[in-house]
Amino acid sequence: MADDAQSSPFIKHLASSDKRTRDSALASLRAFLSSRSEISELDLLKLWKGLFYCLWMQDKPAQQQALSRSLASLPSSLKAPVVLPFLRAFWATIAREWTNIEALRLDKYLYLIRQYVNASFRFLAANSWGNEEGIKQHGEIMAEFPLSAQDTKIPNGLRFHVLDVWVDELEKVEGEWRVEKRGVLEQLCAPVETLAKEGRLKVVRNAAKETLGDERLRAWRGLVAEGGKEDADMEDDEEEEWGGIED
């Protein structure tokens, strides 16, 4: 499937400058994916490599954003068993290709990532956040890739961007968290909490703490102000281990 999918016209046509061609290609891709109840990890990775470079080839900002939104709409059309593997392949691809993204192309991928953070939350929010196993698996994906606490191969630039948009995109999906849903919220926060405590670099830990300290998130979690008390890690200037050159 993957070799055919990667070289098929609907993948290539997603990078077209013609809106009609792009729309037709997206419809074909959506139909292709929505008909599958299972897609192998390797096939999804090959598919996402093709999609990654579709965006790479798109030059005009308006068309870049339109393509990113189109790509972010794909999870909503997938059969449930395929969604999380599809998201995992997305994050694996972004983490792998991040260092190859040129500065002039970075903005469009930052926008795509924001759209996928939002799309992920929307998938999990279906049925009133009732998919407990899905929420757990999504947390594992986030902890493995963009919010990994220990993997030095994950670019810090990717970590920082996901942390930066995390609360904003969650608010767009669920702006008011009732007390009975706080357990779900705590599950969603778990990878950020782990990163804040176990991140290899202080700058990464602090970025995660800043996300957790967002007033909106603290209000949703029912947390009270701590009177300006600094986390012990914030006082510690010593790095446990050198984490490589910053992105």
Side-chain angles (χ1 to χ4, degrees):
M1 183 277 283
D3 289 341
D4 290 340
Q6 189 172 350
S7 61
S8 64
F10 60 72
I11 293 288
K12 295 177 181 178
H13 290 168
L14 279 171
S16 172
S17 60
D18 180 68
K19 184 177 186 300
R20 242 186 224 182
T21 301
R22 290 199 313 273
D23 290 346
S24 177
L26 179 64
S28 298
L29 177 60
R30 193 185 303 280
F32 176 81
L33 293 174
S34 64
S35 66
R36 268 67 179 173
S37 298
E38 183 179 359
I39 306 177
S40 74
E41 178 183 9
L42 179 59
D43 287 344
L44 285 170
L45 288 172
K46 288 182 177 180
L47 177 63
W48 259 112
K49 185 172 184 178
L51 295 175
F52 180 92
Y53 283 102
C54 279
L55 184 58
W56 181 282
M57 298 300 294
Q58 186 58 262
D59 293 327
K60 297 181 179 180
Q63 293 173 359
Q64 292 168 7
Q65 293 191 4
L67 178 55
S68 292
R69 290 192 296 269
S70 295
L71 294 179
S73 73
L74 290 174
S76 65
S77 64
L78 300 177
K79 293 184 178 180
V82 180
V83 176
L84 288 169
F86 186 81
L87 293 175
R88 186 180 186 279
F90 166 76
W91 288 115
T93 300
I94 292 295
R96 184 187 67 241
E97 300 291 343
W98 181 272
T99 56
N100 297 324
I101 301 174
E102 302 164 353
L104 292 176
R105 286 186 163 98
L106 184 57
D107 281 352
K108 57 185 171 184
Y109 287 103
L110 295 179
Y111 186 78
L112 177 66
I113 289 166
R114 177 185 284 274
Q115 294 303 306
Y116 259 86
V117 172
N118 183 276
S120 299
F121 286 145
R122 290 193 182 281
F123 167 70
L124 298 175
N127 300 317
S128 299
W129 302 91
N131 185 356
E132 294 183 8
E133 183 61 26
I135 293 170
K136 176 184 175 183
Q137 290 181 23
H138 176 265
E140 292 170 353
I141 292 169
M142 298 300 283
E144 181 182 4
F145 291 107
L147 298 181
S148 171
Q150 296 294 318
D151 190 349
T152 57
K153 293 181 180 179
I154 302 298
N156 285 326
L158 176 57
R159 289 186 176 97
F160 293 143
H161 182 58
V162 171
L163 289 169
D164 189 47
V165 305
W166 199 87
V167 178
D168 289 343
E169 298 311 312
L170 182 58
E171 184 179 35
K172 292 175 185 177
V173 176
E174 189 75 46
E176 294 183 11
W177 288 84
R178 300 186 302 277
V179 173
E180 60 268 25
K181 291 295 182 185
R182 282 183 182 163
V184 172
L185 183 57
E186 293 307 309
Q187 283 185 282
L188 294 174
C189 290
V192 186
E193 290 277 8
T194 300
L195 186 58
K197 295 174 183 176
E198 301 177 13
R200 294 173 72 94
L201 291 176
K202 180 183 176 183
V203 66
V204 173
R205 295 195 303 272
N206 287 350
K209 290 170 188 174
E210 184 175 346
T211 296
L212 294 171
D214 188 289
E215 293 182 359
R216 294 165 295 176
L217 184 58
R218 290 181 60 81
W220 299 337
R221 299 176 77 184
L223 301 177
V224 296
E226 298 181 3
K229 180 181 178 181
E230 295 287 341
D231 189 288
D233 285 343
M234 299 286 282
E235 298 288 343
D236 182 10
D237 290 329
E238 183 177 70
E239 298 291 354
E240 286 85 348
E241 185 174 344
W242 184 68
I245 298 173
E246 286 297 303
D247 299 306

